[in-house]
């Protein structure tokens, strides 16, 4: 029985760690479109397993001196995907924004912080924000896209925006 339990734990651990693997295939919907010509753009994507990541993210935020309100937002996130793009173009970024507009995302904020532009777009289901997409980049050639799924309120997003803009 103990051997069976150990085998189960090993399989479960491998399954959780498998999603930590960095891939060169895009993991965000628009960039998965095989018909779009990305003109030499290179991708690196990470699916962040929330079971493992939440404690690390909360610890890092506490070490950076973030408020408990910001740390509590992490509890509301259910899935995070990261995608980095190098050799991108302004046209690709414009097409991405158009794709989001066509799929009922709303732009909530554009923030300039430490030379980078941070764009926040959300998709709502009633009063609940189910999906938040952040685009971070200092230029169109190198960008980071963060796709956060969860159950957020408008107040949660406002707190996050205010914490970034006041720094």
């Amino acid at each position: 029985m103990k051997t069976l339990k150990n085998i189960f734990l090993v399989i479960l651990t491998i399954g959780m760690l498998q999603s930590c693997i960095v891939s060169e295939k895009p993991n965000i919907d628009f960039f998965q479109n095989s018909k779009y010509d990305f003109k030499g753009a290179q991708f690196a994507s990470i699916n962040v397993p929330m079971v493992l990541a939440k404690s690390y993210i909360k610890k890092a935020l506490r070490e950076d001196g973030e408020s408990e309100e910001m740390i509590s937002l992490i509890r509301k996130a259910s899935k995070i995907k990261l995608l980095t793009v190098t050799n991108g173009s302004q046209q690709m970024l414009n097409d991405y924004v158009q794709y989001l507009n066509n799929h009922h995302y709303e732009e909530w904020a554009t923030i300039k912080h430490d030379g980078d532009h941070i764009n926040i777009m959300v998709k709502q289901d009633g009063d609940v924000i189910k999906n938040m997409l952040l685009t971070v980049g200092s230029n169109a050639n190198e960008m980071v896209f963060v796709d956060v799924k969860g159950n957020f309120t408008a107040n949660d997003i406002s707190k996050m925006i205010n914490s970034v803009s006041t720094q």
Side-chain angles (χ1 to χ4, degrees), residues 108 123-130 151-156:
W108 273 43
K123 189 173 194 177
Q124 287 183 257
D125 184 13
D127 290 338
V128 178
I129 296 168
K130 295 287 190 178
N151 288 312
F152 304 100
T153 64
N155 193 32
D156 295 333

Side-chain angles (χ1 to χ4, degrees), residues 30 94-106 121 123:
F30 170 77
N94 293 344
D95 292 344
Y96 172 69
V97 170
Q98 185 61 45
Y99 170 85
L100 294 178
N101 288 332
N102 292 343
H103 285 83
H104 310 291
Y105 282 86
E106 300 173 31
M121 296 190 76
K123 189 173 194 177

Side-chain angles (χ1 to χ4, degrees), residues 50 53-55 57-58 61-62 67-80 148-152 156:
M50 292 309 293
K54 281 186 181 182
S55 61
I57 294 170
K58 286 189 240 181
L61 288 173
R62 282 190 180 99
S67 68
E68 285 299 316
E69 288 178 338
M70 284 300 298
I71 294 168
S72 69
L73 284 178
I74 301 303
R75 290 186 199 114
K76 295 183 177 189
S78 60
K79 188 173 187 176
I80 298 177
V148 182
K149 294 189 184 335
N151 288 312
F152 304 100
D156 295 333

Side-chain angles (χ1 to χ4, degrees), residues 4-155:
L4 183 61
K5 182 178 176 183
N6 288 339
I7 291 172
F8 175 74
L9 288 174
V10 168
I11 291 171
L12 181 64
T13 303
I14 290 171
M16 288 164 101
L17 293 177
Q18 182 179 358
S19 62
C20 293
I21 297 173
V22 176
S23 171
E24 291 182 8
K25 294 181 180 179
N27 61 353
I28 294 181
D29 292 340
F30 170 77
F31 298 99
Q32 292 175 335
N33 183 352
S34 62
K35 295 178 184 176
Y36 188 86
D37 181 11
F38 291 107
K39 299 178 182 163
Q42 297 173 334
F43 303 98
S45 60
I46 304 170
N47 289 327
V48 180
M50 292 309 293
V51 173
L52 301 174
K54 281 186 181 182
S55 61
Y56 290 111
I57 294 170
K58 286 189 240 181
K59 181 181 176 188
L61 288 173
R62 282 190 180 99
E63 288 174 357
D64 287 346
E66 290 292 335
S67 68
E68 285 299 316
E69 288 178 338
M70 284 300 298
I71 294 168
S72 69
L73 284 178
I74 301 303
R75 290 186 199 114
K76 295 183 177 189
S78 60
K79 188 173 187 176
I80 298 177
K81 296 183 208 176
L82 298 170
L83 175 67
T84 63
V85 178
T86 54
N87 296 328
S89 68
Q90 187 61 47
Q91 183 60 46
M92 180 183 69
L93 185 57
N94 293 344
D95 292 344
Y96 172 69
V97 170
Q98 185 61 45
Y99 170 85
L100 294 178
N101 288 332
N102 292 343
H103 285 83
H104 310 291
Y105 282 86
E106 300 173 31
E107 184 172 350
W108 273 43
T110 299
I111 303 167
K112 291 184 181 182
H113 182 69
D114 291 338
D116 289 329
H117 298 305
I118 303 167
N119 187 327
I120 301 171
M121 296 190 76
V122 301
K123 189 173 194 177
Q124 287 183 257
D125 184 13
D127 290 338
V128 178
I129 296 168
K130 295 287 190 178
N131 202 356
M132 178 172 47
L133 295 170
L134 292 96
T135 305
V136 182
S138 54
N139 59 50
N141 294 332
E142 295 182 1
M143 296 169 280
V144 176
F145 299 93
V146 182
D147 183 355
V148 182
K149 294 189 184 335
N151 288 312
F152 304 100
T153 64
N155 193 32

Side-chain angles (χ1 to χ4, degrees), residues 153-164:
T153 64
N155 193 32
D156 295 333
I157 306 303
S158 294
K159 288 177 189 176
M160 182 191 70
I161 292 169
N162 289 334
S163 76
V164 173

